[in-house]
Amino acid sequence: MAPVLISALEADYILKGIDDNLRADGRGRLDYREVILETGLITQAHGSARCRLGEGTDVLVGVKVDIGTVDIDGTEEEVATVKAKRGRVVCNVECSPIASQQFAGRGADDINNELTQMMSRVLNGPQGGLNLEKLCIIPGKACWIVYIDALVLDYAGNIVDTMFMTTRAALFNTQVPKAIIHDLGDGEVEFDLSEDVEEWERIEGWEHVPISVTLNKIGSRHIVDATPLEELTTEAKLHVMVNRNGKICGIQKSGSGSIEHSLLNEMVQEEYDINEKRMRNKPVEKLGFFAAT
Amino acid sequence: MLQSKSFLKRTKKGNAIKVVQEHYLRDDIWCSVECCKLCLQTGPVLSTSAMLTAQIPRPHYIVPDTNVFMNQIDIIEHPALHDVIIMQTVYEEIRHLSLPIYNRLRALINDQKKRFYVFSNEHHRETYIQRLKDESPNDRNDRAIRSAVKWYSTHLKKITNKENHIEVVLLTDDVGNRTKAQEEGLSAFSVREYVEGMTDTPELVDILGNSSNVEGDKKVPYEEHLTTSQITNGIKNGTLHQGTLNISMHNYLEGSILSNVNGADTQIMILGRPCLNRAIQGDVVAVQLLPKSEWLRTPTAVVVEEEEEANVNADLKEDGEPKEQNDELESEVIESSQPTGKIVGIIKRNWRPYCGFISKKSVKSSATSTFSENVLVVPMDRRIPYIYIRTRQAQNLMGQRILVSIDAWPKNSTYPQGHYVRALGAAGDKSTETEVLLLEHDVPFQEFASQVLNGLPVEGEAWRVTEEHLSGRADLRHLNICSIDPPGCTDIDDALHVRPLPNGNYEVGVHIADVTHFVKPFTSLDEEAANRGTTVYLVNKRIDMLPELLGSNLCSLRCNVDRLAFSCIWELTSDAEIVNVNFTKSVISSKASLTYEEAQILIDDTRKQDDLTKGIRILNQLAKKLHKKRIDRGAITLASPEVRFQLDFDSQDPVDVEMKELRETNALVEEFMLLANVSVAEKIYSKFPASSLLRRHPPPTSTKLKELSNAIKPLNFSIEFETSRALAESLDRAVLSDDPYFNKLLRILTTRCMMQAVYFCSGTLQFQDFRHYGLAAGIYTHFTSPIRRYSDVIVHRLLDAAINPDKNYGQELVDINKMQKLSDVLNHRHRMAQLASRSSVELHTNIFFKGKIEHNEGYVTRVLKNGFIVLVPKYGIEGIVYSSSASSTTKSQTTPLVVYNSHNNSLESVTPSGTVSIKLFDKVIVQITVDEDLVDGMRQKMKMELVSPFIPGLSVSDNTLRKKEIRIEDEGGNGKRMRIDD
């Protein structure tokens, strides 16, 4: 990634502001920018959503489901028997070069990999919320693979949170074709897919998909929903994923700085509270068609 | 107005793709009714003089639903039906359900006389409907059709007044749909109701599809077919085998498929009705192998026709299962048993209309009856089972050839159920029988359509070579070019020239008619020629591939007129070695059109010393050298028992049969054509290594040749077949000094063991598989007869593109898939053309033998379990002599007259004067008659009966021959020479 520099003066200004609980755009430390969420905008996809955070960050997520084979080669038998009865989630995050000059050229590879990894870890497993067993069509043979493609169209800080929010919305929007199983006798099973769009169903467990809150440690304090300049002054980040039941589904740290143990506990608690609040009683305003543009 | 609809599509790999389509509804789709003032159409299709029937005496248009087209297309095609509106919903459903029916429908729409109009109801703002929740797609489509009918009905009320009011009538066999339509105030009828109301054309009722109105006879309990998914699964995991069913010509209850079993291509036999399980010749079927203990052992028995007939009677009397093969199951399993299976499902039906005749015995009504009854139709093709049809004209149709279609084969019916399509004419009539054989061999024989003829040069007969044709062409008009062809040949494809060069070598040119100058790609003319594939030669008729103007005039290299040609010019040494070769488009003027005979006379007549004659002599010398070289390389001289008829000029009846005579000059032309084909093949392959159209001849499979080799072992000959050269040499050795025909017979039988030569696209095979085994050529194609073969047209285009680097050529010349598909079509057409001409010869042979009883010498060419096949060289005909036929009085005898000896593949009989045996290559004398009465007298059949060696009970006795006063001299001596002259 091309190093983006920030002057010492600018960094100091941000640091001081955060100490006083007043950030450059007038927010307090734990205030989010406005979120605009739109679903179902790609008709060819099985599900899609787009999220804009404040005036900047813009993430588009498309979900495609397709039939795949169960991948159990080389795994131990116990794991294989579990895996055989499950579908899979395959994530891919791509930061568009038009979003920021950081993503130009090969610079985006690292960040793309990091974000893809993070998504896969959270969503592929019980913590991800989706009922993967329900995605199995014929145990050991065929299953649904849910491809989640996130595209970062514009960057104004806090990609991770935006990405998870959009993903959750896109999964909510996703319709999976119904598979009709035929028993051929002799234990042989074959299936057909219902062509009728009306009969398609949501993926079970979409409501348990977690969202993330990222805290940026700047100086001895931490803030949410950092802007690009704030991210440049950030020493370390902590992402915490929480689902609607208030269960923590994943924690990941990034950035080069360290977080003291006491601060870590405090940050996790803080993030948890924020997330709880966001999940439960968030003021929602319906904006209608073309709201995000 | 915009609608979007999404649906799921599964790819071949099994992936599921969501497809979203935008659908714009329009309000500018017109009704196409002649008198409509509201719609802005140009060229309305539907006439105001619409359908009128006794039942609906007001003019009306018909709107059939999808199933009407699917089941009753023959009715729809009848000229009595016109002014039909086809809803787009129906049209698209048909396209998905059945391509053949879709194509027939397309033909109807294009036929201006039928006035069929496709109404795009799915795009019309007022007729489009959206699917309701919980509505099945079929119900939705039915509703869409009703909605469109409704629109038409109100629209027609608007545009017509009381006097000239036109109605719309929905035709559907779906009761529910009909009721709903009637509830909505539309008039709806079932096809039967409607057709029965058409009292002017009573025969239409016979054409009605026969899908549900015949109850089965429940005699052969067929097994239920497996479901499609069970079949696909079974084939995938190897428990089932897929293949195209091929029924034996000699036994209609014996079929086989060629399929891959455990990695090897294996022939799987399928025996008896229950195992064939309602499959018909040509169907793609799924087969399950039977346990090894039930496998079949050779040889196979032929089903005797009388037996066949007896079965029909038995069936009709509700007797039970035919018993052709019980004895086979009793005997013990021997090692060489063949994989045997049973059909468990049908993957693709390959039904077509079949020519046949009504079995007299199945007709019960009296001569005056007009009630409809079920009768059995016996198809001309022996491999097709009898077909039940329902007809009221049974009495009328007896003695005629008719065309029938199969509708269904329910599992409780012994025979499939079908319906009458049309009558072709009286049986035995030459033109009827010719049409039958063309139909049976799928030969497109209709006149050329006007749009095809429009592609011809506008000058017609007056077309001349002009100056502008000369650009890019070599002017070879000064050369002494001549053509040598059979007498009466009008489509002259090829001409030759030779001239000595100063360096002692010769320049030899082969000039081929430049058909591609007239037949340009993507024109109707080209498409028609590609579809016909080849000219079909019948005894009394020629079905041209190209319109006559081109074939017999403009392309034909006639003498003393300028013609366009594609020339292949070599420099050959006096030893016929190629120094170089050059290809060019040219203009030639042939100096003489000779027949083989005339050319031969010129060669032999030493007094003639003109340049042309000298040239032919040089060509002859070179051809002999080329021939020798080819033989040295291992080319095989094959033989066929071909004969030629001399036809009576007026009646076109055959008056005499002669063997085809071969002269030196035949070989002369052939050698140079082979040379040209090889040279062209090399050239096009060098430029188009992936998409050249070539011809190959695979080496024969060893099993059949081994059998033949074993059969001639007692005569101290053998057949080597490791290479074509070894085969050629071993054939040359096998000469019996006292029987000159033996060698030819052996060659005929060897030819039958050979594979068929086939066209293929060079990109689909490895180079070593390109070989032409018979001609011993590494690469070969067809270049020399573009007037009568479409393959040559393509090769001309390829060659033209290969020699002109700057020339633009179409993508079709480099598309491997298209090229391979084309070669598959050409192979099929080629094969069918061969079979059709063979059938035509058979037909004329039968006419020739009508009323004659002849005794002739023949050779045994195959020994079967209950008979043997005899080839009579004089007429080139082959027939079966049944050894255990039910026709003789032997039926009641407990010991069979003739016993099959599997040890030495012979039939043996113990007679008072010793044991008589009949084996392969034995010379026998047979009596040839045309048996007219066999199976209702409708299938003319050459009948052969054994005269000598004499086997009591089997051979025809002296009694029947008394008139001819023929004495059989030696009853036991089958090896001796016998000659009986009429």
Side-chain angles (χ1 to χ4, degrees), chain A residues 1 102-111:
Chain A
M1 205 191 302
Q102 299 178 57
F103 307 144
R106 306 192 51 195
D109 288 358
D110 287 342
I111 192 156

mmCIF file with all atom_site columns, all heavy atoms in Angstrom, chain A residues 1 102-111:
data_model
loop_
_atom_site.group_PDB
_atom_site.id
_atom_site.type_symbol
_atom_site.label_atom_id
_atom_site.label_alt_id
_atom_site.label_comp_id
_atom_site.label_asym_id
_atom_site.label_entity_id
_atom_site.label_seq_id
_atom_site.pdbx_PDB_ins_code
_atom_site.Cartn_x
_atom_site.Cartn_y
_atom_site.Cartn_z
_atom_site.occupancy
_atom_site.B_iso_or_equiv
_atom_site.pdbx_formal_charge
_atom_site.auth_seq_id
_atom_site.auth_comp_id
_atom_site.auth_asym_id
_atom_site.auth_atom_id
_atom_site.pdbx_PDB_model_num
ATOM 1  N N   . MET A 1 1   ? 0.847   -1.192 0.000  1.00 0.00 ? 1   MET A N   1
ATOM 2  C CA  . MET A 1 1   ? 0.000   0.000  0.000  1.00 0.00 ? 1   MET A CA  1
ATOM 3  C C   . MET A 1 1   ? 0.885   1.245  0.000  1.00 0.00 ? 1   MET A C   1
ATOM 4  O O   . MET A 1 1   ? 1.856   1.313  0.731  1.00 0.00 ? 1   MET A O   1
ATOM 5  C CB  . MET A 1 1   ? -0.883  -0.003 1.251  1.00 0.00 ? 1   MET A CB  1
ATOM 6  C CG  . MET A 1 1   ? -2.148  0.788  1.063  1.00 0.00 ? 1   MET A CG  1
ATOM 7  S SD  . MET A 1 1   ? -2.989  1.032  2.622  1.00 0.00 ? 1   MET A SD  1
ATOM 8  C CE  . MET A 1 1   ? -3.247  -0.645 3.163  1.00 0.00 ? 1   MET A CE  1
ATOM 9  N N   . GLN A 1 102 ? -5.139  4.702  -2.343 1.00 0.00 ? 102 GLN A N   1
ATOM 10 C CA  . GLN A 1 102 ? -4.520  3.575  -1.637 1.00 0.00 ? 102 GLN A CA  1
ATOM 11 C C   . GLN A 1 102 ? -4.772  2.253  -2.344 1.00 0.00 ? 102 GLN A C   1
ATOM 12 O O   . GLN A 1 102 ? -4.017  1.322  -2.223 1.00 0.00 ? 102 GLN A O   1
ATOM 13 C CB  . GLN A 1 102 ? -5.127  3.418  -0.246 1.00 0.00 ? 102 GLN A CB  1
ATOM 14 C CG  . GLN A 1 102 ? -4.975  4.552  0.685  1.00 0.00 ? 102 GLN A CG  1
ATOM 15 C CD  . GLN A 1 102 ? -5.688  4.211  1.967  1.00 0.00 ? 102 GLN A CD  1
ATOM 16 O OE1 . GLN A 1 102 ? -5.378  3.195  2.573  1.00 0.00 ? 102 GLN A OE1 1
ATOM 17 N NE2 . GLN A 1 102 ? -6.654  5.035  2.358  1.00 0.00 ? 102 GLN A NE2 1
ATOM 18 N N   . PHE A 1 103 ? -5.921  2.179  -3.026 1.00 0.00 ? 103 PHE A N   1
ATOM 19 C CA  . PHE A 1 103 ? -6.325  0.899  -3.630 1.00 0.00 ? 103 PHE A CA  1
ATOM 20 C C   . PHE A 1 103 ? -5.853  0.777  -5.074 1.00 0.00 ? 103 PHE A C   1
ATOM 21 O O   . PHE A 1 103 ? -6.181  -0.165 -5.760 1.00 0.00 ? 103 PHE A O   1
ATOM 22 C CB  . PHE A 1 103 ? -7.857  0.752  -3.618 1.00 0.00 ? 103 PHE A CB  1
ATOM 23 C CG  . PHE A 1 103 ? -8.454  0.949  -2.253 1.00 0.00 ? 103 PHE A CG  1
ATOM 24 C CD1 . PHE A 1 103 ? -9.683  1.576  -2.110 1.00 0.00 ? 103 PHE A CD1 1
ATOM 25 C CD2 . PHE A 1 103 ? -7.792  0.503  -1.116 1.00 0.00 ? 103 PHE A CD2 1
ATOM 26 C CE1 . PHE A 1 103 ? -10.251 1.760  -0.864 1.00 0.00 ? 103 PHE A CE1 1
ATOM 27 C CE2 . PHE A 1 103 ? -8.360  0.699  0.137  1.00 0.00 ? 103 PHE A CE2 1
ATOM 28 C CZ  . PHE A 1 103 ? -9.579  1.331  0.274  1.00 0.00 ? 103 PHE A CZ  1
ATOM 29 N N   . ALA A 1 104 ? -5.101  1.752  -5.518 1.00 0.00 ? 104 ALA A N   1
ATOM 30 C CA  . ALA A 1 104 ? -4.661  1.695  -6.909 1.00 0.00 ? 104 ALA A CA  1
ATOM 31 C C   . ALA A 1 104 ? -3.561  0.660  -7.071 1.00 0.00 ? 104 ALA A C   1
ATOM 32 O O   . ALA A 1 104 ? -2.840  0.343  -6.135 1.00 0.00 ? 104 ALA A O   1
ATOM 33 C CB  . ALA A 1 104 ? -4.170  3.070  -7.356 1.00 0.00 ? 104 ALA A CB  1
ATOM 34 N N   . GLY A 1 105 ? -3.451  0.135  -8.246 1.00 0.00 ? 105 GLY A N   1
ATOM 35 C CA  . GLY A 1 105 ? -2.396  -0.823 -8.578 1.00 0.00 ? 105 GLY A CA  1
ATOM 36 C C   . GLY A 1 105 ? -2.497  -2.065 -7.724 1.00 0.00 ? 105 GLY A C   1
ATOM 37 O O   . GLY A 1 105 ? -3.579  -2.539 -7.406 1.00 0.00 ? 105 GLY A O   1
ATOM 38 N N   . ARG A 1 106 ? -1.337  -2.585 -7.300 1.00 0.00 ? 106 ARG A N   1
ATOM 39 C CA  . ARG A 1 106 ? -1.363  -3.805 -6.521 1.00 0.00 ? 106 ARG A CA  1
ATOM 40 C C   . ARG A 1 106 ? -1.536  -3.521 -5.050 1.00 0.00 ? 106 ARG A C   1
ATOM 41 O O   . ARG A 1 106 ? -1.560  -4.425 -4.225 1.00 0.00 ? 106 ARG A O   1
ATOM 42 C CB  . ARG A 1 106 ? -0.078  -4.585 -6.761 1.00 0.00 ? 106 ARG A CB  1
ATOM 43 C CG  . ARG A 1 106 ? 0.155   -4.824 -8.246 1.00 0.00 ? 106 ARG A CG  1
ATOM 44 C CD  . ARG A 1 106 ? 1.232   -5.822 -8.476 1.00 0.00 ? 106 ARG A CD  1
ATOM 45 N NE  . ARG A 1 106 ? 1.008   -7.032 -7.722 1.00 0.00 ? 106 ARG A NE  1
ATOM 46 C CZ  . ARG A 1 106 ? 1.933   -7.945 -7.528 1.00 0.00 ? 106 ARG A CZ  1
ATOM 47 N NH1 . ARG A 1 106 ? 3.124   -7.775 -8.034 1.00 0.00 ? 106 ARG A NH1 1
ATOM 48 N NH2 . ARG A 1 106 ? 1.658   -9.043 -6.834 1.00 0.00 ? 106 ARG A NH2 1
ATOM 49 N N   . GLY A 1 107 ? -1.659  -2.224 -4.744 1.00 0.00 ? 107 GLY A N   1
ATOM 50 C CA  . GLY A 1 107 ? -1.770  -1.838 -3.349 1.00 0.00 ? 107 GLY A CA  1
ATOM 51 C C   . GLY A 1 107 ? -2.996  -2.412 -2.686 1.00 0.00 ? 107 GLY A C   1
ATOM 52 O O   . GLY A 1 107 ? -3.024  -2.615 -1.469 1.00 0.00 ? 107 GLY A O   1
ATOM 53 N N   . ALA A 1 108 ? -4.006  -2.698 -3.475 1.00 0.00 ? 108 ALA A N   1
ATOM 54 C CA  . ALA A 1 108 ? -5.248  -3.167 -2.890 1.00 0.00 ? 108 ALA A CA  1
ATOM 55 C C   . ALA A 1 108 ? -5.184  -4.631 -2.465 1.00 0.00 ? 108 ALA A C   1
ATOM 56 O O   . ALA A 1 108 ? -5.991  -5.069 -1.651 1.00 0.00 ? 108 ALA A O   1
ATOM 57 C CB  . ALA A 1 108 ? -6.390  -2.972 -3.872 1.00 0.00 ? 108 ALA A CB  1
ATOM 58 N N   . ASP A 1 109 ? -4.201  -5.378 -2.987 1.00 0.00 ? 109 ASP A N   1
ATOM 59 C CA  . ASP A 1 109 ? -4.163  -6.812 -2.722 1.00 0.00 ? 109 ASP A CA  1
ATOM 60 C C   . ASP A 1 109 ? -4.161  -7.129 -1.232 1.00 0.00 ? 109 ASP A C   1
ATOM 61 O O   . ASP A 1 109 ? -4.925  -7.963 -0.762 1.00 0.00 ? 109 ASP A O   1
ATOM 62 C CB  . ASP A 1 109 ? -2.918  -7.437 -3.370 1.00 0.00 ? 109 ASP A CB  1
ATOM 63 C CG  . ASP A 1 109 ? -3.067  -7.490 -4.874 1.00 0.00 ? 109 ASP A CG  1
ATOM 64 O OD1 . ASP A 1 109 ? -4.147  -7.074 -5.362 1.00 0.00 ? 109 ASP A OD1 1
ATOM 65 O OD2 . ASP A 1 109 ? -2.133  -7.939 -5.552 1.00 0.00 ? 109 ASP A OD2 1
ATOM 66 N N   . ASP A 1 110 ? -3.292  -6.433 -0.493 1.00 0.00 ? 110 ASP A N   1
ATOM 67 C CA  . ASP A 1 110 ? -3.163  -6.725 0.933  1.00 0.00 ? 110 ASP A CA  1
ATOM 68 C C   . ASP A 1 110 ? -4.472  -6.478 1.659  1.00 0.00 ? 110 ASP A C   1
ATOM 69 O O   . ASP A 1 110 ? -4.960  -7.322 2.403  1.00 0.00 ? 110 ASP A O   1
ATOM 70 C CB  . ASP A 1 110 ? -2.078  -5.845 1.556  1.00 0.00 ? 110 ASP A CB  1
ATOM 71 C CG  . ASP A 1 110 ? -0.704  -6.314 1.111  1.00 0.00 ? 110 ASP A CG  1
ATOM 72 O OD1 . ASP A 1 110 ? -0.634  -7.473 0.637  1.00 0.00 ? 110 ASP A OD1 1
ATOM 73 O OD2 . ASP A 1 110 ? 0.249   -5.535 1.213  1.00 0.00 ? 110 ASP A OD2 1
ATOM 74 N N   . ILE A 1 111 ? -5.032  -5.307 1.379  1.00 0.00 ? 111 ILE A N   1
ATOM 75 C CA  . ILE A 1 111 ? -6.240  -4.956 2.121  1.00 0.00 ? 111 ILE A CA  1
ATOM 76 C C   . ILE A 1 111 ? -7.403  -5.852 1.696  1.00 0.00 ? 111 ILE A C   1
ATOM 77 O O   . ILE A 1 111 ? -8.220  -6.291 2.522  1.00 0.00 ? 111 ILE A O   1
ATOM 78 C CB  . ILE A 1 111 ? -6.559  -3.454 1.970  1.00 0.00 ? 111 ILE A CB  1
ATOM 79 C CG1 . ILE A 1 111 ? -7.651  -3.066 2.984  1.00 0.00 ? 111 ILE A CG1 1
ATOM 80 C CG2 . ILE A 1 111 ? -6.990  -3.084 0.578  1.00 0.00 ? 111 ILE A CG2 1
ATOM 81 C CD1 . ILE A 1 111 ? -7.612  -1.608 3.311  1.00 0.00 ? 111 ILE A CD1 1
#
